[in-house]
Amino acid sequence: MTIHEAIAALRSRQISSVELTTQCLDRIRELQPKLNAWITVTADSALAEAKERDEELARGVDRGPMHGIPVGLKDLFYTRGVLTTGGSKIFENFIPDEDADIVISLREAGAISLGKLNLHELAYGITSTNHWYGAVRNPWNPDTIPGGSSGGSGVAVATGMALMAIGTDTGGSIRIPSSFCGVCGIMPTFDLVSRQGCMPLGWTLDHVGPMAATVRDTAIALSALTGGSSYIDSETSLRGVRIGVPSNFFFDRCDDEITASIHKMAEAAKDAGAEVIPVTVEGVEELVEVARTTLMAEAVNSLRDYLHQREKFSPNAQKLMDDGLKVSGADYVHAQQRRIELSQRIYKTFDQVDCLFVPGTSITAPPIGATTTEINGIVDDVRLAVTRTLRPINATSLITLSLPSGIHSNGLPMGLQIIGRAHEERLLFRIGEAIELPFSSPPV
């Protein structure tokens, strides 16, 4: 059941929040041993909250569209009295005495917290193969990764273990699992959703956003996280919307079937009234390395108080910390100068178009443990292949809506990124809803 469907069902008394929450908890019990999407499940408190939400509706108290909706939280967000690990051994016993802002916002909106979702250690990676809490597995093929770092969030939504899940995105960490798991997600305007109470990774790169089964569900969730303003547009036509399809960079090293799926989505937008325009996006290729340098330095700074506890970092995380320590102050400052210059060049593309259609990821989900991948016969590094079209966007003020673009011949989902200007989430949701494919459930 989608959030949109549940809104009507709850208010017509076709289902109760307790029943909806129980369904999710049953799915968790069934699938957690196979997919390992959760670190902590708060079943008792979830059912107690659901009972309260039902009682409120019976009294005529309606907190809004998320009232009675079961959701999952990436285990980066402080939850008062509930274990919050960050997917790390460093925080294996950390129980906060306060809630993150988004936890408060969701509670006030009437959402039901089911618990804390597994992720890549410290949100610093793209696989969600967690050294301490075990690998999260993709429900489309449990031998493949779900993407990261919000892997548990993507899996929970794809399988109905939660109707919505919160993710974070520092270099693709909402968009990768959205693409690999066949769900929707948005990396909204920087700091549109509060990061207070979220364990930081890259201070100028981190974004918080929702993931859900459909574009409309994602819009409803974002509204709850930002104070209630609606992101749903009554206009369904795309007349007057200019969609850019880049002729450089984004499709240079991309699986042929994924490329074809993006062009098919652009044709669907054209059929809905949009104008599709070939464009060249200047500056984006160099911005990949600028964003990478920025993240390496900022991640070390975020974790500086824990670097002496080397044994509590996995070998992979240790290497990332070591690499970050090699970035000098001059390197970081230079990266920020280039970041501004290159971003300004990218923004000029939006003088011609309202958004860009590009691949969500250049490949489908690779096998767990794979370090290399083959794209159209050419071998590439998995991390670089997955993040190449994602990482540079975090270094700009641009926003991105991710949604499925089809199923590959290998049986795995493919994804589309719709990239737009800051504060134009409503437009991206309108475009996404106009071309959205029917939600496909994974085979688990």
Side-chain angles (χ1 to χ4, degrees), residues 74-91:
K74 185 175 181 178
D75 200 11
L76 281 182
F77 294 95
Y78 285 21
T79 41
R80 183 166 55 88
V82 178
L83 183 67
T84 301
T85 71
S88 168
K89 189 174 179 60
I90 294 169
F91 304 108

Side-chain angles (χ1 to χ4, degrees), residues 112-170:
I112 312 299
S113 175
L114 297 166
K116 313 298 285 293
L117 290 154
N118 203 350
L119 66 155
H120 201 104
E121 179 184 5
L122 298 166
Y124 203 176
I126 59 97
T127 68
S128 294
T129 302
N130 192 297
H131 182 82
W132 309 107
Y133 296 94
V136 185
R137 296 179 177 272
N138 192 317
W140 290 87
N141 179 348
D143 292 328
T144 64
I145 67 171
S149 61
S150 309
S153 300
V155 172
V157 169
T159 57
M161 288 189 273
L163 272 63
M164 186 277 284
I166 299 295
T168 62
D169 194 310
T170 307

